[in-house]
Amino acid sequence: NAGVMQNPRHLVRRRGQEARLRCSPMKGHSHVYWYRQLPEEGLKFMVYLQKENIIDESGMPKERFSAEFPKEGPSILRIQQVVRGDSAAYFCASSLPQRPGNTIYFGEGSWLTVV
Amino acid sequence: DAKTTQPPSMDCAEGRAANLPCNHSTISGNEYVYWYRQIHSQGPQYIIHGLKNNETNEMASLIITEDRKSSTLILPHATLRDTAVYYCIVRASGANSKLTFGKGITLSVRP
């Protein structure tokens, strides 16, 4: 079984451009989470989505960041007008529908560098 | 989610057991203990989780105290590839529950 797939693995953008990060969850998983890890810092929750719904976006910056998980296709994390401070590793994770004790699996991450 | 407390770092010799402690004194009855690890420049890797009983899988064992206020992750025969940051996370079992990562413990396995 394929794990959580993220692409691109590495992305370089100039300041002011847009970055789009894609995440394909594990087969059968309908829940997706996005986390961000700044250099030398810990993993910070950004957003939790089900198919076509945002469940929890308490960790998303108020501006320039958006996420979606359409009925068909991967989840997309979109960063508009990127700035140097957006340079980070972005990790996607997925799980089955919530039940006690289920497991969340992570992808290998997308590394965004803003120059 | 309840908070956890882990020492910042520890080391162990290759081939020996690594015992990683975690305190979660405010854990609630419906909250699970999860362990993940992150090897440098990789995504977090699920290791094991449990509610109140001890658990074992091919990677590790999880020992949870009877009062559930602390737990220990045991890697029975540590290898150099086990060098990583290990995160102990308490997660509610309800809907919309996410993983909240702390600083974790850096395990260094020495030859």
Side-chain angles (χ1 to χ4, degrees):
Chain A
N1 287 332
V4 179
M5 304 300 291
Q6 292 188 246
N7 68 82
R9 293 295 312 279
H10 298 276
L11 181 64
V12 179
R13 284 288 178 266
R14 296 187 184 279
R15 282 177 294 171
Q17 291 184 319
E18 178 179 287
R20 287 195 179 213
L21 309 177
R22 289 177 292 279
C23 170
S24 296
M26 289 179 68
K27 187 176 182 180
H29 286 191
S30 57
H31 293 225
V32 164
Y33 311 75
W34 285 94
Y35 286 76
R36 176 167 68 173
Q37 188 169 34
L38 295 168
E40 306 305 321
E41 293 191 13
L43 288 143
K44 301 297 183 186
F45 168 79
M46 300 181 75
V47 64
Y48 165 33
L49 311 101
Q50 294 177 12
K51 289 276 189 182
E52 300 183 284
N53 282 312
I54 296 176
I55 304 303
D56 181 353
E57 56 181 347
S58 59
M60 285 283 269
K62 299 300 181 196
E63 297 176 345
R64 302 187 296 108
F65 284 72
S66 62
E68 63 176 6
F69 188 18
K71 185 176 181 180
E72 301 292 337
S75 175
I76 306 288
L77 179 67
R78 181 183 178 202
I79 311 171
Q80 295 178 290
Q81 300 176 338
V82 295
V83 301
R84 289 241 172 94
D86 297 331
S87 295
Y90 292 84
F91 293 99
C92 172
S94 74
S95 72
L96 292 167
Q98 290 278 4
R99 67 166 63 93
N102 72 345
T103 302
I104 298 174
Y105 296 94
F106 284 80
E108 287 301 315
S110 290
W111 267 257
L112 172 65
T113 301
V114 180
V115 297
Chain B
D1 292 344
K3 291 186 176 180
T4 62
T5 303
Q6 300 177 258
S9 63
M10 67 175 292
D11 63 4
C12 76
E14 188 177 19
R16 303 296 296 271
N19 298 305
L20 287 70
C22 180
N23 287 323
H24 30 80
S25 59
T26 59
I27 193 170
S28 299
N30 68 343
E31 290 177 320
Y32 284 72
V33 179
Y34 284 77
W35 282 84
Y36 284 77
R37 73 180 181 183
Q38 188 175 26
I39 296 170
H40 185 61
S41 297
Q42 296 184 20
Q45 179 186 21
Y46 166 77
I47 300 174
I48 199 167
H49 73 282
L51 182 63
K52 52 184 177 182
N53 297 324
N54 297 337
E55 302 288 343
T56 296
N57 62 21
E58 65 279 3
M59 288 185 68
S61 295
L62 175 60
I63 308 299
I64 303 174
T65 58
E66 192 169 343
D67 63 6
R68 303 186 70 238
K69 293 185 177 181
S70 65
S71 60
T72 301
L73 178 75
I74 301 173
L75 307 179
H77 305 287
T79 71
L80 298 178
R81 289 179 295 179
D82 292 321
T83 293
V85 180
Y86 287 76
Y87 298 96
C88 171
I89 302 168
V90 170
R91 179 189 178 209
S93 60
N96 308 334
S97 173
K98 57 187 180 284
L99 293 167
T100 301
F101 288 80
K103 295 183 178 180
I105 177 172
T106 299
L107 173 67
S108 300
V109 180
R110 62 181 187 275

